[in-house]
Amino acid sequence: MPDVSLLLPLAELLGVSVTELLEGRRLEEAAIPADEVEVLVKKALTLPTEPAEVKQERVKKYLPVYLACNVLGAVEALMVWNLGWMEEKMQMLLWMSCGFGFLFGAYFFFTEEVLPGYYDENRINYVTQGIFRMNIPGVYFNNRNWPVILRWGRIWTVVTAVAMPLLLALGTWAGKMVGKELCLMIWLVYLVSMAFAIIVPARKYEFGAPKKK
């Protein structure tokens, strides 16, 4: 019997359902349709580990910060766009940075801060919560490093949401001065900084500190 943490990825790799993996055979007929059993099994494997009150308290705590930084970033992006501070061909990067901040910020701010217990007992390099899946080769998640990863992710969201529109505008201006396209370089640094915010705390705290929550 495979470890519970491996059921979903192993089923995907073998091209079978989790139910069929547990049964050890192909399922054609059953008292309950196979697809319904599959949903039940997957729900059992991804049961939430936090009470609803904790989730509500986190939303109440972080929602103002999340909205403030994203609204401010959007206002800055509109200002940069209206004033023509960026070349038209590079304006897509401006709106993509706003979208990334809104999407990934929601994950960092509001996702569960406690992982199922089997993450602490195994070396698992992915986290699946709802529609989000984070999979980084060589990085293993557990309840020692996960809270720190989310904390760094929140800081990354706030800083980049506010700074990126102005940095892209500055990159456009500086690029014209030196005759090089700097916006793409700034965007690359932006993406690397997000990976940095995840990988560094994940590796630093994989084997020790904090596990308070």
Side-chain angles (χ1 to χ4, degrees), residues 84-122:
W85 288 355
M86 284 190 68
E87 296 179 6
E88 187 174 347
K89 63 180 181 179
M90 290 296 167
Q91 288 177 359
M92 180 179 67
L93 298 178
L94 185 66
W95 303 117
M96 285 177 62
S97 66
C98 291
F100 273 41
F102 184 81
L103 181 65
F104 290 106
Y107 184 76
F108 289 133
F109 273 101
F110 305 122
T111 194
E112 290 191 15
E113 296 182 350
V114 180
L115 297 174
Y118 55 79
Y119 276 85
D120 296 327
E121 301 165 3
N122 303 275

Side-chain angles (χ1 to χ4, degrees), residues 4 8 24 36 68 110 116-117 129 131 134 180 184 199 207:
V4 65
L8 289 176
E36 293 183 18
F110 305 122
Q129 294 178 328
I131 62 173
M134 186 186 301
K180 293 184 178 181
L184 289 176
I199 294 172
F207 298 107

Side-chain angles (χ1 to χ4, degrees), residues 151-203:
R151 194 179 310 139
W152 278 46
R154 290 165 188 150
I155 295 172
W156 175 87
T157 299
V158 172
V159 172
T160 57
V162 175
M164 275 301 288
L166 299 179
L167 286 175
L168 289 171
L170 181 62
T172 300
W173 174 80
K176 292 178 180 178
M177 298 289 290
V178 299
K180 293 184 178 181
E181 186 55 70
L182 299 181
C183 283
L184 289 176
M185 186 179 298
I186 293 172
W187 180 254
L188 179 61
V189 172
Y190 169 74
L191 295 179
V192 170
S193 69
M194 180 169 60
F196 183 86
I198 297 170
I199 294 172
V200 170
R203 290 185 171 173

Side-chain angles (χ1 to χ4, degrees), residues 5 16 22 34 42 51 53 76 81 87 106 110 121 125-126 130 148 165 173 179 203 206 210:
S5 65
V16 299
L22 292 172
K42 286 186 176 181
E53 306 80 51
E76 290 178 0
W81 178 64
E87 296 179 6
F110 305 122
E121 301 165 3
N125 67 348
Y126 72 90
V148 188
W173 174 80
R203 290 185 171 173
E206 180 183 349

